[in-house]
Amino acid sequence: MTYNFDEIIDRKHTNSINTDGFRDFIFHAGPDMKFPYADDEFIRMWIADMEFACAEPIRQAIIDRVNRKIFGYTIMSLDTEYHKSLNKWCEKKYGWSVPREELCFSTGVIPALYQLVELICKPNEKALMVTPAYGFFKKAVVYNKIDYECSPLIIDGSRFTVDFDDLERRASQPGMKLIIWCNPQNPSGTVWTTEELQRVAAIAKKYDLWLISDEIHCGLLRQGVKHTPFAKVTDYKKLVTCMSASKTFNMAGLQFSNIIIRDENLRQAFRDRDKNVAFVNPISIVAHKAAYDYGEEWLDQLKTYLDGNFELVRDFLAKELPLAKFEIPKATYLAWVNLNAYLDDVEDLPKFFAYEAGVLLEGGDELFVGNAKGYVRLTLAMPRKTLQEALERMKKAVLAHAAKKQK
């Protein structure tokens, strides 16, 4: 079937964090925080979920499960069909098989990350990440009262690359225990090469570090681009891979993810410490299975539509804000845009665009750990008409601010 990604969907009154939770999440404020825009006048480009309807086969699978009428305690320990669906998807898309015995489950990659850091690290130990980084990497570390090191990525032309000398220097420090990786990388959208992943794995192995690979964005690639799972390029035993159909198919609220743990002892500890005591949501299971079994047609059309949105942003910035630095990333539906040439004096970019443009977005070091000053992250998974309006608003605000600076 042909999907309509231009459809405008009203998300009000659905308990959506996208529409109702931005004050707390972005600004750490309550409902008393006022803007010159009404809440429903904002264009939301901040949180990484989509403004697109979920694929029809997924919705139908949910309806069919609802029609079974009972939603009792649900477990996955005896299930084989879900693993078959996941494994078939991974073999077809990535040329990689998922060993069933290594497969664990969590309500999400973030909860799994919190639990894994707790199991792997003691309070006097450290974790390592590259920056800019997904903010919850830092939060998971801070929550567990351990220290962290950041290795800044290097902008090499149009691509972010790893400073491997710096990464190894930090990895070798006393007390270092864990590398938290993102593959593909959020927020830059970089797709790591086999060689890059092998070099990271070699560093982890050399210093006996655990390696957690967050691969939640692995399905969201530009047309023609391939994802390489970390687990495909190394047999390193201290590797954990976190994946889900939730990001790719816009069903994060169903709270279900695949946590693939090679080490038997860590795997058993993860299961023993599971705060959900192995229970899962029955709706989530059928939705994710349907995504793997029947979602490819929807995803292919989505990727084509997103490619068009990225081209729109690239062309718009080149024409209207030519000092902005942006290249279309190989993965994600997130644009990582450098606006330092225009807004180097603006300390809080999310606040600036909320007040001056009516656009909700994320950016800067506070939200992306470090190496992110002057950058904004824009979620482009929205109807093109909405995206065009957002860009026009942002341009107007940026140029007005630049004019004020010149006076």
Side-chain angles (χ1 to χ4, degrees):
M1 63 182 296
T2 299
Y3 290 94
N4 178 19
F5 296 102
D6 291 316
E7 179 186 7
I8 308 274
I9 299 173
D10 184 2
R11 300 179 67 179
K12 295 192 296 293
H13 310 302
T14 62
N15 297 315
S16 166
I17 188 174
N18 194 318
T19 59
D20 302 333
F22 67 90
R23 282 179 175 80
D24 177 50
F25 198 100
I26 305 176
F27 304 110
H28 312 297
D32 56 328
M33 186 177 190
K34 303 300 180 184
F35 299 92
Y37 295 86
D39 285 11
D40 60 2
E41 293 176 327
F42 279 113
I43 296 178
R44 304 180 303 273
M45 309 182 82
W46 68 285
I47 198 167
D49 70 7
M50 306 187 206
E51 300 290 352
F52 302 136
C54 200
E56 182 61 32
I58 297 172
R59 300 206 303 274
Q60 187 59 52
I62 292 172
I63 291 169
D64 292 344
R65 181 61 182 86
V66 168
N67 288 337
R68 296 296 298 270
K69 301 181 181 180
I70 295 176
F71 314 103
Y73 292 119
T74 305
I75 59 173
M76 293 289 283
S77 58
L78 301 178
D79 182 277
T80 59
E81 294 305 310
Y82 175 80
H83 174 260
K84 288 179 182 177
S85 296
L86 169 64
N87 196 54
K88 183 178 179 182
W89 179 270
C90 289
E91 286 179 339
K92 181 176 182 179
K93 294 294 183 182
Y94 319 126
W96 170 57
S97 297
V98 179
R100 187 181 173 213
E101 68 274 11
E102 296 179 6
L103 180 59
C104 303
F105 300 98
S106 174
T107 54
V109 171
I110 294 170
L113 185 60
Y114 275 65
Q115 185 177 331
L116 288 164
V117 173
E118 174 190 285
L119 291 169
I120 290 170
C121 299
K122 298 183 178 65
N124 62 335
E125 293 176 328
K126 295 181 180 180
L128 174 60
M129 63 196 80
V130 295
T131 54
Y134 180 46
F136 274 100
F137 288 4
K138 175 182 173 181
K139 289 182 179 181
V141 169
V142 172
Y143 176 85
N144 284 290
K145 297 182 173 60
I146 69 166
D147 201 359
Y148 64 94
E149 289 277 332
C150 297
S151 180
L153 294 173
I154 300 169
I155 302 177
D156 182 9
S158 62
R159 188 176 185 274
F160 284 76
T161 61
V162 181
D163 183 339
F164 281 102
D165 291 337
D166 182 76
L167 186 73
E168 182 165 2
R169 179 180 64 81
R170 295 177 191 275
S172 68
Q173 292 183 5
M176 191 61 70
K177 193 66 175 290
L178 165 68
I179 297 175
I180 304 176
W181 200 254
C182 199
N183 176 37
Q185 213 268 343
N186 174 15
S188 72
T190 297
V191 171
W192 304 114
T193 66
T194 296
E195 292 72 24
E196 287 171 321
L197 295 175
Q198 288 173 334
R199 290 184 71 178
V200 175
I203 290 172
K205 186 174 183 178
K206 181 176 180 179
Y207 298 102
D208 194 29
L209 306 181
W210 289 92
L211 181 56
I212 299 174
S213 182
D214 172 4
E215 306 196 4
I216 192 76
H217 290 275
C218 65
L220 295 162
L221 308 171
R222 304 287 77 76
Q223 288 285 19
V225 177
K226 299 293 184 182
H227 168 71
T228 302
F230 225 132
K232 186 179 177 181
V233 303
T234 177
D235 60 0
Y236 187 51
K237 292 299 184 183
K238 288 190 171 183
L239 173 66
V240 180
T241 303
C242 303
M243 306 176 75
S244 178
S246 62
K247 187 71 67 177
T248 302
F249 291 93
N250 200 29
M251 48 184 183
L254 293 182
Q255 295 286 279
F256 188 80
S257 62
N258 310 301
I259 311 301
I260 301 152
I261 305 175
R262 278 184 172 166
D263 181 84
E264 183 178 357
N265 292 328
L266 180 63
R267 186 163 67 243
Q268 189 58 52
F270 184 84
R271 289 169 175 161
D272 290 344
R273 295 287 292 170
D274 180 9
K275 310 305 189 288
N276 295 302
V277 293
F279 294 138
V280 294
N281 186 325
I283 302 298
S284 300
I285 298 169
V286 297
H288 281 68
K289 187 176 185 303
Y292 294 130
D293 287 344
Y294 309 113
E296 187 172 19
E297 181 181 44
W298 180 89
L299 179 57
D300 187 62
Q301 293 179 41
L302 168 74
K303 289 162 65 174
T304 297
Y305 192 90
L306 289 175
D307 286 357
N309 277 3
F310 274 104
E311 290 165 4
L312 170 62
V313 172
R314 179 198 60 198
D315 296 345
F316 183 94
L317 292 176
K319 180 181 178 182
E320 305 293 347
L321 295 172
L323 299 181
K325 295 180 181 179
F326 169 70
E327 296 288 341
I328 295 177
K330 298 294 185 183
T332 79
Y333 48 65
L334 308 168
W336 187 238
V337 184
N338 184 341
L339 292 174
N340 276 292
Y342 295 103
L343 303 176
D344 60 314
D345 58 330
V346 176
E347 290 297 321
D348 191 333
L349 291 173
K351 189 174 182 180
F352 171 83
F353 281 106
Y355 277 90
E356 303 301 326
V359 173
L360 298 174
L361 51 75
E362 295 179 292
D365 288 337
E366 181 180 356
L367 288 165
F368 294 98
V369 184
N371 198 22
K373 184 182 184 304
Y375 282 84
V376 293
R377 193 188 76 168
L378 309 177
T379 296
L380 305 191
M382 61 179 59
R384 200 156 294 151
K385 180 180 178 181
T386 307
L387 176 57
Q388 181 71 47
E389 173 63 21
L391 294 172
E392 294 288 352
R393 290 189 189 187
M394 291 177 67
K395 178 192 77 170
K396 184 176 179 180
V398 169
L399 294 182
H401 182 78
K404 288 180 183 178
K405 285 201 301 182
Q406 292 176 353
K407 290 183 178 179

